[in-house]
């Protein structure tokens, strides 16, 4: 038998059929749906008189558009957002899929809700009309984003027409230094490979530093596989994975658990499996990282200075100049001299309990800088509740953070949480594109601890200096 | 997807070249939850003035062409952004055929996915049909996909080429979903196997 990678194994286990021309039909185990990319897909089903093939494998959660202020149950002011939210509710009810409405404590960002509720399990195929579906790869599930016509295709057939990607291995050897987190790993990797480095590949992250991460940390790493251009990110499941999954509402129980477990333990890349591309990074070479520009690949260690556009090559020279202008930065200045006026803690990258704990640890007993706008948006209602129980919410509020309800919020600024033109934000989210957090807004991507540090000092700060 | 066999209807002449998807359906109308309902904003900026009143000179506002099912267009129809809203808007208005000397790639394939037949013809054939279309409701064109023929009002015929597989899909109303549904036995077999092997999924 030929040696297989983890990706090969999951792929083969989901192959329904292969056509002569090589097109494959892949079975989909879990389909996550949110309000923005699904309405036309459901409408398509209605127009063609089709049903959802496997409603019990489909989960709908509103997240992109929902307000995160405490008064949100009074209704959504923006009409277009409201229409999309109402449509999701109607579609979920009409087609009989699992649904977590805005007033349900389990509501949250779809990529946080899936794992939390035990929908995401090792070895599964998971899709969603959203590129950060890669998050679920942390469980050893093949998970990726799809377009609206594919959403409809999955709803109707529970399959996707796919061509197989290549295999890429990213190994992080050794141990992380203090102050360095999962977010820094994933940003560092993108800094190394560029945003197209993983194009056409599924990345498997492995190595001692990855093994040492919690499930939350692994989700952070896989979440940004897409920023590196990869179709998906994967981490082989291990005891930590099984411990996380056990007892979740939709995880298997009893005999089914035992059967599942013995299957899950076969989910790893065989020793002599061949990868098309390999990248090895020493954990000790990774510093707390920050983006200076408008592409997730514009990553530097916090100890560095803002680069000169002339330091780049080819088309990147112009792009870098444009990024410097947009970000309002002077080449040569220290990254730690960049003033920050807004801090956003949240998103499917860093909106989990471990992230909030990291922030609380930094700001405990302290106050955020005068005039700083700092916002914590938990990734789900359950994360919020747990943080309240652990006393984290109190610590954050005492320090001056706003304590919000769950949703995507300022990660993409589709709800009212937006930056004003020129405002500069240290954000724990995953994209720093022009206008991503609001027209003219400037985003620096950082880890939760680094965002917390910036909230205290009012400028980008090396967490190790605090 | 609705089957496409034969369409007999009024053809509207739009000799302008490079009609892009922004002209077909402006960005403003993309924040919708629907694929349907876009027909009223088809060619919005050419069709309505600033006050929202119809511009009488625009071809689809003229009485003869209000029910047009065919458009005869200038070169490079459907260029610009890849939005699937463009064919959605055409279809919602009632257009089933677009005839031109050339189309933008993505638009061309999006048409087939949505039950619209884009036909590429030589310049002289397009010119001839453009003339026919100019005669308004008196000039009915008939497009027969099975036999790959367009019949003009005077009985003249023009034949056209179309990819055999795309033709098969249109004739049978098969979109990707329809095609995959033809494999539903294989999907059901997979589900049965999987339910036995991995009951927890
Ligand atoms: S939190 Fe941001 S990246 Fe994640 S699903 Fe929401 S909008 Fe997308």
């Amino acid at each position: 038998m030929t040696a297989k990678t983890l990706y090969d194994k999951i792929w083969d286990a989901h192959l329904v059929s292969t056509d002569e021309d090589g097109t494959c039909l892949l079975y989909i185990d879990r389909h996550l749906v949110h309000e923005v990319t699904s309405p036309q897909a459901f409408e398509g089903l209605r127009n063609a008189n089709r049903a959802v093939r496997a409603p019990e494998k489909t989960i709908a959660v509103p997240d992109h558009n929902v307000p995160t202020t405490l008064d949100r149950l009074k209704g959504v002011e923006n009409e277009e957002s409201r229409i999309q939210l109402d449509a999701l509710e109607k579609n979920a009810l009409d087609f009989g899929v699992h649904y977590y409405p805005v007033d349900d404590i389990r509501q949250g960002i779809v990529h946080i809700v899936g794992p939390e509720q035990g929908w995401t399990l090792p070895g599964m195929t998971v899709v969603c009309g959203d590129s950060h579906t890669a998050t679920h790869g942390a469980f050893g599930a093949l998970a990726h984003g799809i377009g609206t016509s594919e959403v409809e295709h999955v709803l109707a057939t529970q399959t996707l027409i796919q061509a197989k990607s290549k295999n890429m291995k990213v190994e992080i050897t050794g141990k992380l230094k203090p102050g360095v987190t999962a977010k820094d790993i994933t940003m560092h990797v993108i800094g190394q490979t560029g945003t197209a480095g993983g194009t056409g590949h599924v990345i498997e992250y492995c190595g001692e530093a990855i093994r040492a991460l919690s499930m939350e940390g692994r989700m952070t790493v896989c979440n940004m596989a897409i920023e590196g251009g990869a179709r998906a990110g994967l981490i082989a499941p291990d005891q930590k994975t099984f411990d996380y999954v056990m007892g979740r509402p939709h995880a298997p129980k009893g005999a089914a658990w035992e059967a599942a477990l013995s299957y899950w333990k076969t989910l790893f890349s065989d020793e002599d499996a061949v990868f098309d591309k390999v990248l090895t990074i020493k954990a000790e070479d990774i510093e707390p990282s920050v983006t200076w520009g408008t592409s997730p690949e514009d990553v530097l260690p916090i100890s560095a200075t803002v680069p000169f556009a002339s330091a780049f090559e080819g088309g990147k020279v112009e792009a870098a100049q444009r990024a410097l202008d947009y970000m309002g930065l002077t080449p040569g200045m220290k990254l730690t001299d960049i003033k920050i006026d807004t801090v956003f803690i949240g998103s499917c990258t860093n909106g989990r309990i471990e992230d909030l704990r990291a922030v609380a640890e930094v700001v405990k007993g302290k106050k955020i800088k005068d005039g700083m706008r700092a916002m914590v948006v938990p990734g789900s209602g359950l994360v919020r509740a747990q943080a309240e129980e652990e006393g984290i919410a109190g610590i954050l509020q005492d320090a001056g953070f706003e304590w919000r309800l769950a949703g995507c919020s300022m990660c993409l600024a589709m709800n009212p949480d937006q930056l004003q033109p020129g405002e500069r934000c240290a954000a724990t989210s995953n994209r720093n594109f022009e206008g991503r957090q609001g027209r003219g807004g400037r985003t620096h991507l950082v880890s939760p601890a680094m965002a917390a540090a910036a909230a205290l000092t009012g400028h980008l700060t090396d967490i190790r200096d605090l | 997807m609705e089957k496409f066999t034969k369409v007999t209807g009024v053809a509207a002449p739009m000799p302008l070249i490079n009609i892009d998807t922004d002209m077909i359906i402006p960005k403003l109308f993309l924040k919708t939850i629907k694929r349907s309902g876009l027909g009223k904003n088809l060619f919005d900026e050419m069709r309505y003035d600033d006050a929202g009143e119809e511009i009488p000179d625009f071809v689809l506002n003229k009485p003869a062409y209000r029910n047009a099912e065919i458009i005869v267009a200038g070169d490079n129809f459907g260029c610009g952004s890849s939005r699937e809203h463009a064919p959605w808007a055409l279809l919602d208005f009632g257009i089933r055929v677009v005839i031109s000397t050339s189309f933008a790639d993505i638009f061309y394939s999006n048409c087939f996915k949505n039950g619209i037949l884009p036909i590429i013809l030589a310049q002289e054939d397009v010119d001839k049909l453009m003339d026919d279309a100019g005669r308004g409701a008196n000039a009915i064109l008939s497009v027969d996909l099975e036999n790959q023929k367009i019949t003009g009002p005077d009985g003249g015929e023009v034949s056209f080429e179309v990819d055999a597989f795309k033709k098969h899909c249109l004739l049978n109303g098969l979109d990707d979903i329809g095609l995959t549904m033809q494999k539903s036995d294989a999907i059901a077999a997979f589900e049965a196997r999987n339910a036995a092997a991995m009951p927890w999924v």
Side-chain angles (χ1 to χ4, degrees), chain A residues 221-264:
Chain A
V221 170
C222 288
N223 174 274
M224 289 186 73
I226 191 76
E227 270 65 48
R231 177 134 188 86
L234 276 175
I235 296 176
D238 59 12
Q239 195 55 45
K240 274 186 198 166
T241 322
F242 310 144
D243 291 346
Y244 180 99
V245 170
M246 198 163 105
R248 304 251 159 207
H250 297 279
K253 315 245 167 359
W257 171 262
E258 294 306 326
L261 198 60
S262 63
Y263 172 62
W264 294 345

Side-chain angles (χ1 to χ4, degrees), chain A residues 393-435:
Chain A
I395 295 174
L396 297 174
Q397 282 170 299
D398 288 348
F401 282 90
E402 284 178 65
W403 180 238
R404 296 292 193 98
L405 297 180
C408 293
S409 180
M410 209 193 265
C411 173
L412 90 166
M414 212 168 158
N415 77 348
D417 307 338
Q418 307 191 355
L419 291 182
Q420 296 303 308
E423 262 188 321
R424 191 182 293 281
C425 180
T428 65
S429 45
N430 46 48
R431 284 186 173 154
N432 53 345
F433 301 152
E434 285 184 22

